PDB file of all heavy atoms in Angstrom:
ATOM      1  N   TYR A  20      96.186  95.972  82.162  1.00  0.00           N
ATOM      2  CA  TYR A  20      97.131  96.035  83.324  1.00  0.00           C
ATOM      3  C   TYR A  20      97.870  94.714  83.461  1.00  0.00           C
ATOM      4  O   TYR A  20      99.068  94.736  83.786  1.00  0.00           O
ATOM      5  CB  TYR A  20      96.384  96.372  84.647  1.00  0.00           C
ATOM      6  CG  TYR A  20      97.372  96.633  85.731  1.00  0.00           C
ATOM      7  CD1 TYR A  20      97.939  97.885  85.855  1.00  0.00           C
ATOM      8  CD2 TYR A  20      97.804  95.578  86.540  1.00  0.00           C
ATOM      9  CE1 TYR A  20      98.904  98.080  86.826  1.00  0.00           C
ATOM     10  CE2 TYR A  20      98.751  95.786  87.503  1.00  0.00           C
ATOM     11  CZ  TYR A  20      99.333  97.023  87.639  1.00  0.00           C
ATOM     12  OH  TYR A  20     100.255  97.252  88.591  1.00  0.00           O
ATOM     13  N   GLY A  21      97.199  93.613  83.224  1.00  0.00           N
ATOM     14  CA  GLY A  21      97.883  92.324  83.285  1.00  0.00           C
ATOM     15  C   GLY A  21      99.031  92.251  82.306  1.00  0.00           C
ATOM     16  O   GLY A  21     100.094  91.740  82.627  1.00  0.00           O
ATOM     17  N   PHE A  22      98.843  92.747  81.095  1.00  0.00           N
ATOM     18  CA  PHE A  22      99.857  92.740  80.066  1.00  0.00           C
ATOM     19  C   PHE A  22     101.059  93.578  80.536  1.00  0.00           C
ATOM     20  O   PHE A  22     102.233  93.106  80.492  1.00  0.00           O
ATOM     21  CB  PHE A  22      99.298  93.276  78.787  1.00  0.00           C
ATOM     22  CG  PHE A  22     100.330  93.397  77.679  1.00  0.00           C
ATOM     23  CD1 PHE A  22     100.720  92.275  76.918  1.00  0.00           C
ATOM     24  CD2 PHE A  22     100.924  94.607  77.372  1.00  0.00           C
ATOM     25  CE1 PHE A  22     101.658  92.398  75.909  1.00  0.00           C
ATOM     26  CE2 PHE A  22     101.866  94.753  76.376  1.00  0.00           C
ATOM     27  CZ  PHE A  22     102.234  93.631  75.622  1.00  0.00           C
ATOM     28  N   ALA A  23     100.802  94.808  80.998  1.00  0.00           N
ATOM     29  CA  ALA A  23     101.853  95.687  81.455  1.00  0.00           C
ATOM     30  C   ALA A  23     102.645  95.046  82.578  1.00  0.00           C
ATOM     31  O   ALA A  23     103.881  95.098  82.652  1.00  0.00           O
ATOM     32  CB  ALA A  23     101.301  97.042  81.826  1.00  0.00           C
ATOM     33  N   ASN A  24     101.889  94.496  83.527  1.00  0.00           N
ATOM     34  CA  ASN A  24     102.492  93.873  84.712  1.00  0.00           C
ATOM     35  C   ASN A  24     103.363  92.687  84.321  1.00  0.00           C
ATOM     36  O   ASN A  24     104.454  92.491  84.823  1.00  0.00           O
ATOM     37  CB  ASN A  24     101.400  93.455  85.678  1.00  0.00           C
ATOM     38  CG  ASN A  24     101.927  93.221  87.077  1.00  0.00           C
ATOM     39  OD1 ASN A  24     103.100  93.334  87.331  1.00  0.00           O
ATOM     40  ND2 ASN A  24     101.039  92.772  87.980  1.00  0.00           N
ATOM     41  N   PHE A  25     102.865  91.847  83.419  1.00  0.00           N
ATOM     42  CA  PHE A  25     103.621  90.660  83.005  1.00  0.00           C
ATOM     43  C   PHE A  25     104.932  91.059  82.310  1.00  0.00           C
ATOM     44  O   PHE A  25     105.984  90.493  82.605  1.00  0.00           O
ATOM     45  CB  PHE A  25     102.797  89.784  82.073  1.00  0.00           C
ATOM     46  CG  PHE A  25     103.556  88.608  81.582  1.00  0.00           C
ATOM     47  CD1 PHE A  25     103.792  87.531  82.403  1.00  0.00           C
ATOM     48  CD2 PHE A  25     104.091  88.602  80.292  1.00  0.00           C
ATOM     49  CE1 PHE A  25     104.555  86.437  81.936  1.00  0.00           C
ATOM     50  CE2 PHE A  25     104.838  87.508  79.814  1.00  0.00           C
ATOM     51  CZ  PHE A  25     105.070  86.452  80.651  1.00  0.00           C
ATOM     52  N   VAL A  26     104.854  92.017  81.400  1.00  0.00           N
ATOM     53  CA  VAL A  26     106.049  92.453  80.717  1.00  0.00           C
ATOM     54  C   VAL A  26     107.111  92.937  81.718  1.00  0.00           C
ATOM     55  O   VAL A  26     108.278  92.591  81.630  1.00  0.00           O
ATOM     56  CB  VAL A  26     105.730  93.580  79.691  1.00  0.00           C
ATOM     57  CG1 VAL A  26     107.020  94.213  79.152  1.00  0.00           C
ATOM     58  CG2 VAL A  26     104.937  93.003  78.526  1.00  0.00           C
ATOM     59  N   MET A  27     106.658  93.762  82.668  1.00  0.00           N
ATOM     60  CA  MET A  27     107.663  94.294  83.636  1.00  0.00           C
ATOM     61  C   MET A  27     108.147  93.292  84.667  1.00  0.00           C
ATOM     62  O   MET A  27     109.217  93.444  85.196  1.00  0.00           O
ATOM     63  CB  MET A  27     107.105  95.583  84.282  1.00  0.00           C
ATOM     64  CG  MET A  27     106.976  96.745  83.326  1.00  0.00           C
ATOM     65  SD  MET A  27     108.461  97.020  82.279  1.00  0.00           S
ATOM     66  CE  MET A  27     109.678  97.403  83.553  1.00  0.00           C
ATOM     67  N   HIS A  28     107.288  92.273  84.914  1.00  0.00           N
ATOM     68  CA  HIS A  28     107.753  91.188  85.812  1.00  0.00           C
ATOM     69  C   HIS A  28     108.897  90.454  85.098  1.00  0.00           C
ATOM     70  O   HIS A  28     109.934  90.072  85.783  1.00  0.00           O
ATOM     71  CB  HIS A  28     106.611  90.207  86.046  1.00  0.00           C
ATOM     72  CG  HIS A  28     107.082  88.928  86.758  1.00  0.00           C
ATOM     73  ND1 HIS A  28     107.465  87.796  86.053  1.00  0.00           N
ATOM     74  CD2 HIS A  28     107.290  88.657  88.042  1.00  0.00           C
ATOM     75  CE1 HIS A  28     107.862  86.904  86.922  1.00  0.00           C
ATOM     76  NE2 HIS A  28     107.761  87.343  88.141  1.00  0.00           N
ATOM     77  N   GLU A  29     108.805  90.272  83.795  1.00  0.00           N
ATOM     78  CA  GLU A  29     109.861  89.577  83.085  1.00  0.00           C
ATOM     79  C   GLU A  29     111.143  90.420  83.075  1.00  0.00           C
ATOM     80  O   GLU A  29     112.240  89.832  83.051  1.00  0.00           O
ATOM     81  CB  GLU A  29     109.438  89.309  81.627  1.00  0.00           C
ATOM     82  CG  GLU A  29     108.334  88.292  81.503  1.00  0.00           C
ATOM     83  CD  GLU A  29     108.835  86.874  81.866  1.00  0.00           C
ATOM     84  OE1 GLU A  29     109.584  86.289  81.103  1.00  0.00           O
ATOM     85  OE2 GLU A  29     108.476  86.422  82.963  1.00  0.00           O
ATOM     86  N   VAL A  30     111.039  91.685  83.145  1.00  0.00           N
ATOM     87  CA  VAL A  30     112.231  92.572  83.163  1.00  0.00           C
ATOM     88  C   VAL A  30     112.833  92.683  84.536  1.00  0.00           C
ATOM     89  O   VAL A  30     114.075  92.578  84.680  1.00  0.00           O
ATOM     90  CB  VAL A  30     111.861  94.003  82.661  1.00  0.00           C
ATOM     91  CG1 VAL A  30     113.051  94.985  82.812  1.00  0.00           C
ATOM     92  CG2 VAL A  30     111.413  93.997  81.228  1.00  0.00           C
ATOM     93  N   THR A  31     112.023  92.825  85.571  1.00  0.00           N
ATOM     94  CA  THR A  31     112.504  93.114  86.917  1.00  0.00           C
ATOM     95  C   THR A  31     112.564  91.925  87.828  1.00  0.00           C
ATOM     96  O   THR A  31     113.294  91.887  88.822  1.00  0.00           O
ATOM     97  CB  THR A  31     111.670  94.185  87.618  1.00  0.00           C
ATOM     98  OG1 THR A  31     110.371  93.655  87.843  1.00  0.00           O
ATOM     99  CG2 THR A  31     111.534  95.420  86.782  1.00  0.00           C
ATOM    100  N   GLY A  32     111.786  90.897  87.511  1.00  0.00           N
ATOM    101  CA  GLY A  32     111.736  89.732  88.390  1.00  0.00           C
ATOM    102  C   GLY A  32     110.659  89.843  89.474  1.00  0.00           C
ATOM    103  O   GLY A  32     110.417  88.918  90.242  1.00  0.00           O
ATOM    104  N   THR A  33     109.931  90.927  89.528  1.00  0.00           N
ATOM    105  CA  THR A  33     108.868  91.114  90.493  1.00  0.00           C
ATOM    106  C   THR A  33     107.669  91.742  89.829  1.00  0.00           C
ATOM    107  O   THR A  33     107.794  92.483  88.876  1.00  0.00           O
ATOM    108  CB  THR A  33     109.281  92.005  91.700  1.00  0.00           C
ATOM    109  OG1 THR A  33     109.520  93.333  91.255  1.00  0.00           O
ATOM    110  CG2 THR A  33     110.525  91.482  92.353  1.00  0.00           C
ATOM    111  N   SER A  34     106.504  91.489  90.355  1.00  0.00           N
ATOM    112  CA  SER A  34     105.292  92.060  89.832  1.00  0.00           C
ATOM    113  C   SER A  34     104.627  92.959  90.864  1.00  0.00           C
ATOM    114  O   SER A  34     104.999  92.940  92.047  1.00  0.00           O
ATOM    115  CB  SER A  34     104.304  90.988  89.361  1.00  0.00           C
ATOM    116  OG  SER A  34     103.972  90.131  90.434  1.00  0.00           O
ATOM    117  N   VAL A  35     103.617  93.717  90.455  1.00  0.00           N
ATOM    118  CA  VAL A  35     102.965  94.660  91.365  1.00  0.00           C
ATOM    119  C   VAL A  35     101.491  94.615  91.171  1.00  0.00           C
ATOM    120  O   VAL A  35     100.955  94.509  90.040  1.00  0.00           O
ATOM    121  CB  VAL A  35     103.492  96.092  91.090  1.00  0.00           C
ATOM    122  CG1 VAL A  35     103.255  96.507  89.658  1.00  0.00           C
ATOM    123  CG2 VAL A  35     102.838  97.088  92.051  1.00  0.00           C
ATOM    124  N   ASN A  36     100.759  94.597  92.261  1.00  0.00           N
ATOM    125  CA  ASN A  36      99.301  94.623  92.222  1.00  0.00           C
ATOM    126  C   ASN A  36      98.868  96.081  92.475  1.00  0.00           C
ATOM    127  O   ASN A  36      99.366  96.739  93.418  1.00  0.00           O
ATOM    128  CB  ASN A  36      98.740  93.744  93.354  1.00  0.00           C
ATOM    129  CG  ASN A  36      97.241  93.606  93.330  1.00  0.00           C
ATOM    130  OD1 ASN A  36      96.508  94.615  93.260  1.00  0.00           O
ATOM    131  ND2 ASN A  36      96.775  92.388  93.354  1.00  0.00           N
ATOM    132  N   PRO A  37      97.963  96.614  91.654  1.00  0.00           N
ATOM    133  CA  PRO A  37      97.609  98.041  91.789  1.00  0.00           C
ATOM    134  C   PRO A  37      96.946  98.396  93.096  1.00  0.00           C
ATOM    135  O   PRO A  37      96.791  99.567  93.421  1.00  0.00           O
ATOM    136  CB  PRO A  37      96.670  98.280  90.585  1.00  0.00           C
ATOM    137  CG  PRO A  37      96.160  96.914  90.260  1.00  0.00           C
ATOM    138  CD  PRO A  37      97.300  96.005  90.520  1.00  0.00           C
ATOM    139  N   ASN A  38      96.556  97.393  93.876  1.00  0.00           N
ATOM    140  CA  ASN A  38      95.915  97.633  95.155  1.00  0.00           C
ATOM    141  C   ASN A  38      96.854  97.482  96.339  1.00  0.00           C
ATOM    142  O   ASN A  38      96.482  97.649  97.485  1.00  0.00           O
ATOM    143  CB  ASN A  38      94.689  96.708  95.356  1.00  0.00           C
ATOM    144  CG  ASN A  38      93.672  96.869  94.275  1.00  0.00           C
ATOM    145  OD1 ASN A  38      93.302  97.987  93.948  1.00  0.00           O
ATOM    146  ND2 ASN A  38      93.197  95.778  93.686  1.00  0.00           N
ATOM    147  N   ASN A  39      98.121  97.093  96.059  1.00  0.00           N
ATOM    148  CA  ASN A  39      99.034  96.797  97.137  1.00  0.00           C
ATOM    149  C   ASN A  39      99.986  97.883  97.535  1.00  0.00           C
ATOM    150  O   ASN A  39     100.799  97.732  98.469  1.00  0.00           O
ATOM    151  CB  ASN A  39      99.869  95.537  96.738  1.00  0.00           C
ATOM    152  CG  ASN A  39      99.041  94.285  96.912  1.00  0.00           C
ATOM    153  OD1 ASN A  39      97.980  94.311  97.486  1.00  0.00           O
ATOM    154  ND2 ASN A  39      99.523  93.180  96.341  1.00  0.00           N
ATOM    155  N   GLY A  40     100.013  98.995  96.789  1.00  0.00           N
ATOM    156  CA  GLY A  40     100.940 100.065  97.200  1.00  0.00           C
ATOM    157  C   GLY A  40     102.365  99.727  96.900  1.00  0.00           C
ATOM    158  O   GLY A  40     102.730  99.044  95.980  1.00  0.00           O
ATOM    159  N   ASN A  41     103.272 100.213  97.777  1.00  0.00           N
ATOM    160  CA  ASN A  41     104.699 100.075  97.593  1.00  0.00           C
ATOM    161  C   ASN A  41     105.200  98.701  98.042  1.00  0.00           C
ATOM    162  O   ASN A  41     105.456  98.515  99.252  1.00  0.00           O
ATOM    163  CB  ASN A  41     105.472 101.165  98.329  1.00  0.00           C
ATOM    164  CG  ASN A  41     105.086 102.539  97.851  1.00  0.00           C
ATOM    165  OD1 ASN A  41     104.871 102.767  96.658  1.00  0.00           O
ATOM    166  ND2 ASN A  41     104.910 103.509  98.771  1.00  0.00           N
ATOM    167  N   LYS A  42     105.276  97.750  97.105  1.00  0.00           N
ATOM    168  CA  LYS A  42     105.751  96.438  97.429  1.00  0.00           C
ATOM    169  C   LYS A  42     106.603  95.855  96.326  1.00  0.00           C
ATOM    170  O   LYS A  42     106.545  96.341  95.185  1.00  0.00           O
ATOM    171  CB  LYS A  42     104.607  95.462  97.706  1.00  0.00           C
ATOM    172  CG  LYS A  42     103.849  95.704  99.031  1.00  0.00           C
ATOM    173  CD  LYS A  42     102.837  94.638  99.318  1.00  0.00           C
ATOM    174  CE  LYS A  42     102.144  94.806 100.671  1.00  0.00           C
ATOM    175  NZ  LYS A  42     101.160  93.724 100.952  1.00  0.00           N
ATOM    176  N   ASN A  43     107.413  94.870  96.654  1.00  0.00           N
ATOM    177  CA  ASN A  43     108.257  94.153  95.681  1.00  0.00           C
ATOM    178  C   ASN A  43     109.153  95.048  94.871  1.00  0.00           C
ATOM    179  O   ASN A  43     109.490  94.754  93.732  1.00  0.00           O
ATOM    180  CB  ASN A  43     107.324  93.376  94.728  1.00  0.00           C
ATOM    181  CG  ASN A  43     106.497  92.334  95.409  1.00  0.00           C
ATOM    182  OD1 ASN A  43     106.877  91.805  96.420  1.00  0.00           O
ATOM    183  ND2 ASN A  43     105.290  92.066  94.873  1.00  0.00           N
ATOM    184  N   GLY A  44     109.618  96.149  95.487  1.00  0.00           N
ATOM    185  CA  GLY A  44     110.525  97.060  94.777  1.00  0.00           C
ATOM    186  C   GLY A  44     109.842  98.067  93.910  1.00  0.00           C
ATOM    187  O   GLY A  44     110.486  98.865  93.254  1.00  0.00           O
ATOM    188  N   TRP A  45     108.479  98.063  93.882  1.00  0.00           N
ATOM    189  CA  TRP A  45     107.759  99.053  93.063  1.00  0.00           C
ATOM    190  C   TRP A  45     107.264 100.213  93.926  1.00  0.00           C
ATOM    191  O   TRP A  45     106.900 100.040  95.086  1.00  0.00           O
ATOM    192  CB  TRP A  45     106.528  98.327  92.447  1.00  0.00           C
ATOM    193  CG  TRP A  45     106.936  97.390  91.325  1.00  0.00           C
ATOM    194  CD1 TRP A  45     107.240  96.069  91.449  1.00  0.00           C
ATOM    195  CD2 TRP A  45     107.066  97.727  89.949  1.00  0.00           C
ATOM    196  NE1 TRP A  45     107.582  95.537  90.228  1.00  0.00           N
ATOM    197  CE2 TRP A  45     107.457  96.525  89.271  1.00  0.00           C
ATOM    198  CE3 TRP A  45     106.909  98.891  89.201  1.00  0.00           C
ATOM    199  CZ2 TRP A  45     107.697  96.497  87.934  1.00  0.00           C
ATOM    200  CZ3 TRP A  45     107.130  98.845  87.826  1.00  0.00           C
ATOM    201  CH2 TRP A  45     107.533  97.647  87.228  1.00  0.00           C
ATOM    202  N   LYS A  46     107.292 101.387  93.347  1.00  0.00           N
ATOM    203  CA  LYS A  46     106.824 102.590  94.020  1.00  0.00           C
ATOM    204  C   LYS A  46     105.558 103.142  93.369  1.00  0.00           C
ATOM    205  O   LYS A  46     105.525 103.344  92.165  1.00  0.00           O
ATOM    206  CB  LYS A  46     107.945 103.661  94.003  1.00  0.00           C
ATOM    207  CG  LYS A  46     107.573 104.934  94.720  1.00  0.00           C
ATOM    208  CD  LYS A  46     108.719 105.944  94.686  1.00  0.00           C
ATOM    209  CE  LYS A  46     108.359 107.208  95.426  1.00  0.00           C
ATOM    210  NZ  LYS A  46     109.451 108.229  95.355  1.00  0.00           N
ATOM    211  N   TYR A  47     104.573 103.360  94.158  1.00  0.00           N
ATOM    212  CA  TYR A  47     103.303 103.943  93.683  1.00  0.00           C
ATOM    213  C   TYR A  47     103.448 105.469  93.754  1.00  0.00           C
ATOM    214  O   TYR A  47     103.782 106.040  94.757  1.00  0.00           O
ATOM    215  CB  TYR A  47     102.147 103.473  94.550  1.00  0.00           C
ATOM    216  CG  TYR A  47     100.862 104.174  94.319  1.00  0.00           C
ATOM    217  CD1 TYR A  47     100.069 103.837  93.225  1.00  0.00           C
ATOM    218  CD2 TYR A  47     100.400 105.193  95.161  1.00  0.00           C
ATOM    219  CE1 TYR A  47      98.832 104.454  93.003  1.00  0.00           C
ATOM    220  CE2 TYR A  47      99.184 105.844  94.917  1.00  0.00           C
ATOM    221  CZ  TYR A  47      98.413 105.477  93.834  1.00  0.00           C
ATOM    222  OH  TYR A  47      97.195 106.089  93.620  1.00  0.00           O
ATOM    223  N   ILE A  48     103.212 106.132  92.590  1.00  0.00           N
ATOM    224  CA  ILE A  48     103.354 107.603  92.549  1.00  0.00           C
ATOM    225  C   ILE A  48     102.015 108.189  92.104  1.00  0.00           C
ATOM    226  O   ILE A  48     101.526 107.895  91.018  1.00  0.00           O
ATOM    227  CB  ILE A  48     104.443 108.037  91.595  1.00  0.00           C
ATOM    228  CG1 ILE A  48     105.724 107.294  91.871  1.00  0.00           C
ATOM    229  CG2 ILE A  48     104.672 109.533  91.633  1.00  0.00           C
ATOM    230  CD1 ILE A  48     106.844 107.564  90.832  1.00  0.00           C
ATOM    231  N   LYS A  49     101.433 108.992  92.973  1.00  0.00           N
ATOM    232  CA  LYS A  49     100.145 109.628  92.638  1.00  0.00           C
ATOM    233  C   LYS A  49     100.321 110.604  91.471  1.00  0.00           C
ATOM    234  O   LYS A  49     101.376 111.156  91.261  1.00  0.00           O
ATOM    235  CB  LYS A  49      99.604 110.389  93.831  1.00  0.00           C
ATOM    236  CG  LYS A  49      99.270 109.505  95.064  1.00  0.00           C
ATOM    237  CD  LYS A  49      98.829 110.366  96.235  1.00  0.00           C
ATOM    238  CE  LYS A  49      98.515 109.536  97.432  1.00  0.00           C
ATOM    239  NZ  LYS A  49      98.116 110.334  98.602  1.00  0.00           N
ATOM    240  N   ALA A  50      99.210 110.838  90.797  1.00  0.00           N
ATOM    241  CA  ALA A  50      99.265 111.711  89.601  1.00  0.00           C
ATOM    242  C   ALA A  50      99.893 113.063  89.897  1.00  0.00           C
ATOM    243  O   ALA A  50     100.740 113.544  89.097  1.00  0.00           O
ATOM    244  CB  ALA A  50      97.835 111.877  89.035  1.00  0.00           C
ATOM    245  N   ASN A  51      99.515 113.708  91.011  1.00  0.00           N
ATOM    246  CA  ASN A  51     100.016 115.033  91.270  1.00  0.00           C
ATOM    247  C   ASN A  51     101.481 115.031  91.724  1.00  0.00           C
ATOM    248  O   ASN A  51     102.081 116.095  91.910  1.00  0.00           O
ATOM    249  CB  ASN A  51      99.128 115.717  92.327  1.00  0.00           C
ATOM    250  CG  ASN A  51      99.111 114.992  93.669  1.00  0.00           C
ATOM    251  OD1 ASN A  51      99.646 113.908  93.829  1.00  0.00           O
ATOM    252  ND2 ASN A  51      98.419 115.583  94.641  1.00  0.00           N
ATOM    253  N   GLU A  52     102.043 113.826  91.982  1.00  0.00           N
ATOM    254  CA  GLU A  52     103.419 113.727  92.404  1.00  0.00           C
ATOM    255  C   GLU A  52     104.376 113.322  91.255  1.00  0.00           C
ATOM    256  O   GLU A  52     105.581 113.233  91.402  1.00  0.00           O
ATOM    257  CB  GLU A  52     103.567 112.735  93.557  1.00  0.00           C
ATOM    258  CG  GLU A  52     102.795 113.168  94.813  1.00  0.00           C
ATOM    259  CD  GLU A  52     102.820 112.107  95.891  1.00  0.00           C
ATOM    260  OE1 GLU A  52     103.230 110.973  95.597  1.00  0.00           O
ATOM    261  OE2 GLU A  52     102.392 112.404  97.014  1.00  0.00           O
ATOM    262  N   VAL A  53     103.802 112.992  90.118  1.00  0.00           N
ATOM    263  CA  VAL A  53     104.603 112.535  88.946  1.00  0.00           C
ATOM    264  C   VAL A  53     105.185 113.763  88.255  1.00  0.00           C
ATOM    265  O   VAL A  53     104.441 114.617  87.780  1.00  0.00           O
ATOM    266  CB  VAL A  53     103.767 111.744  87.937  1.00  0.00           C
ATOM    267  CG1 VAL A  53     104.627 111.304  86.772  1.00  0.00           C
ATOM    268  CG2 VAL A  53     103.156 110.514  88.604  1.00  0.00           C
ATOM    269  N   THR A  54     106.508 113.895  88.248  1.00  0.00           N
ATOM    270  CA  THR A  54     107.134 115.043  87.613  1.00  0.00           C
ATOM    271  C   THR A  54     107.823 114.674  86.297  1.00  0.00           C
ATOM    272  O   THR A  54     108.180 115.564  85.531  1.00  0.00           O
ATOM    273  CB  THR A  54     108.210 115.637  88.541  1.00  0.00           C
ATOM    274  OG1 THR A  54     109.173 114.633  88.877  1.00  0.00           O
ATOM    275  CG2 THR A  54     107.573 116.145  89.834  1.00  0.00           C
ATOM    276  N   GLU A  55     107.978 113.359  86.028  1.00  0.00           N
ATOM    277  CA  GLU A  55     108.552 112.912  84.809  1.00  0.00           C
ATOM    278  C   GLU A  55     108.178 111.456  84.605  1.00  0.00           C
ATOM    279  O   GLU A  55     107.761 110.770  85.556  1.00  0.00           O
ATOM    280  CB  GLU A  55     110.063 113.017  84.816  1.00  0.00           C
ATOM    281  CG  GLU A  55     110.751 112.175  85.879  1.00  0.00           C
ATOM    282  CD  GLU A  55     112.242 112.243  85.842  1.00  0.00           C
ATOM    283  OE1 GLU A  55     112.808 112.553  84.759  1.00  0.00           O
ATOM    284  OE2 GLU A  55     112.875 111.965  86.867  1.00  0.00           O
ATOM    285  N   LEU A  56     108.267 110.984  83.358  1.00  0.00           N
ATOM    286  CA  LEU A  56     108.070 109.569  83.053  1.00  0.00           C
ATOM    287  C   LEU A  56     109.431 108.951  82.785  1.00  0.00           C
ATOM    288  O   LEU A  56     110.313 109.642  82.219  1.00  0.00           O
ATOM    289  CB  LEU A  56     107.121 109.388  81.868  1.00  0.00           C
ATOM    290  CG  LEU A  56     105.696 109.823  82.088  1.00  0.00           C
ATOM    291  CD1 LEU A  56     104.821 109.609  80.847  1.00  0.00           C
ATOM    292  CD2 LEU A  56     105.055 109.098  83.287  1.00  0.00           C
TER     293      LEU A  56
END
């Protein structure tokens, strides 16, 4: 998770903590709500 988060921080300028929900421009999508990747 640290690797994935670091890579996307470099792309977007913000990082996300998996326990923080919707913050820093990131949206948490539950499994049953994911309709596409």
Side-chain angles (χ1 to χ4, degrees):
Y20 188 84
F22 176 80
N24 196 2
F25 176 75
V26 169
M27 291 313 297
H28 170 269
E29 291 292 286
V30 174
T31 66
T33 65
S34 59
V35 58
N36 186 308
N38 300 313
N39 283 348
N41 300 320
K42 288 188 176 181
N43 300 329
W45 288 89
K46 181 179 181 181
Y47 171 78
I48 309 174
K49 297 177 181 179
N51 61 356
E52 297 174 349
V53 179
T54 58
E55 63 176 336
L56 294 179

